[in-house]
Amino acid sequence: MKKRSILAIALTAALLTGCAGAQNTAVEQSQNASVENSTSESVSEMTAEEITESSDDVPLKDLCADNFMLGVGINGSTLENQTLNLPEYMELSKKHFNSCTMTNLMKSGYILDQWGSIENLEKGDESPALFFGSIDPTLEWCKENGIKMRGHTLVWHTQAPNWFFREGYKDDGEYVDKETMLARMESYIKQLMTHVQENYPGVIYCWDVVNEAVEPDSYDPESFFMCRTKCGEDPNPWYETIGPDYVEAAFTYARKYADSDVKLFYNDYNTYQPVKTKAIYDLCASLKEKGLIDGIGMQGYWGLDYPSDQMIETAIRKFAELDLEIHVTELSIGVDEETPEQFDKQGKRYGDIFKLLKSLDSDNDGPAKITSVTLFGLIDHYREGDTTNTRIFYSDYKPKPAFYDIQEALK
């Protein structure tokens, strides 16, 4: 079973049922789809120690210590190509950040074990089988180095395997009924949280319990929070099997099994769009009334000139009315052309956003409890074929203008 599960993880990217829609959160996956099985190689001739020592500036995490935690994405879509395998990447991450997020390998498609689940059924056990080989190495690194982690994510319609929602855990089975799917959801959340909390106590300080359940372009008209019904042209399997109640159910189970000091978040993209801001507000207000939520995650797939600072501020001020924590969870600002001029503009944009976040933070007498900001990666082009240019270091680990602009903004 273990060998079979390891093989399943290596092939996960090809097997997952994904969302075909143009979602901002699919940026990394679409950029890297053609190289998912590439072997990670260092592009720098310097050692990890030399890279860390060559940057003798004050760590960014120390500059914002009075305001919020600073996180970095641990990128990668397989065990082989994840940035955990790059000593330079991890040393620099450890220096400048005190939080991290696994950008892919903690999603359910990498953890659920189809054949193990089928074997469970044959033994009379309805519970899904889980395999933790995709997440344990990074959790162990966090444990050894005193780095906290944002758990990302428990319930998401994308990168959740289709068979998980089907009779017999089979690809061609019919959708299971609501009661069965709720039981599978609870078991998945219980097993994952229990594994993490027993083996890596204190590492995960919060979870994105539900990801991207609000969708103004395809929603249940009877849902008070515009519950997503589609995943591109395909149905949202959580909605199909459970209905809009799946969001509250996920938070109910997460609260049931999370340690008392672990915070629960709802995470979404385009949170600055007024219609979506209101729907997310309504959803989180309902969850707060029931004692099920601690914060809102605002993904940051933003450009050089959109959304405006005012749009971001308006959304943050609205969410702040709920007195929940606010995290910027996936900050990524790209450029159209990799020129010095574009990278200068990128740097200014990063700097402006950090100045805005500091000004809105309650620690600076602002209205919002901003407690974590995560850059969704560290270096551009971290492996062969990767086209990402949203990071704050070049592929040779030299700081980009964005690094210095963020540094100045935090000072």
Side-chain angles (χ1 to χ4, degrees), residues 101-223:
T101 302
M102 299 186 72
T103 62
N104 267 308
L105 293 175
M106 192 171 268
K107 292 165 184 172
S108 63
Y110 295 91
I111 296 174
L112 284 163
D113 179 349
Q114 183 176 14
W115 302 112
S117 299
I118 292 173
E119 287 185 0
N120 281 354
L121 278 180
E122 293 172 348
K123 298 173 184 176
D125 183 357
E126 296 280 340
S127 303
L130 277 63
F131 176 73
F132 305 107
S134 66
I135 63 175
D136 280 350
T138 305
L139 286 165
E140 187 65 36
W141 178 84
C142 289
K143 182 179 178 180
E144 292 175 355
N145 291 282
I147 307 295
K148 299 292 186 179
M149 181 188 286
R150 299 191 78 261
H152 180 74
T153 175
L154 292 174
V155 172
W156 190 30
H157 55 278
T158 302
Q159 291 185 278
N162 189 50
W163 58 261
F164 183 49
F165 304 89
R166 303 283 179 171
E167 294 281 0
Y169 293 117
K170 296 181 179 178
D171 297 318
D172 58 355
E174 297 294 326
Y175 276 132
V176 298
D177 59 28
K178 181 175 182 178
E179 181 180 1
T180 300
M181 199 63 231
L182 284 171
R184 290 183 181 183
M185 174 194 280
E186 179 173 8
S187 178
Y188 176 79
I189 291 174
K190 177 183 179 181
Q191 290 185 66
L192 179 52
M193 282 190 160
T194 300
H195 173 80
V196 169
Q197 291 168 175
E198 289 183 352
N199 294 282
Y200 310 97
V203 170
I204 291 186
Y205 66 100
C206 69
W207 282 96
D208 289 330
V209 177
V210 177
N211 203 42
E212 302 173 7
V214 174
E215 180 45 72
D217 291 333
S218 60
Y219 67 93
D220 180 346
E222 296 186 5
S223 165

Side-chain angles (χ1 to χ4, degrees), residues 330-341:
E330 304 176 27
L331 187 55
S332 303
I333 300 171
V335 297
D336 294 328
E337 298 180 4
E338 296 184 9
T339 64
E341 293 77 16

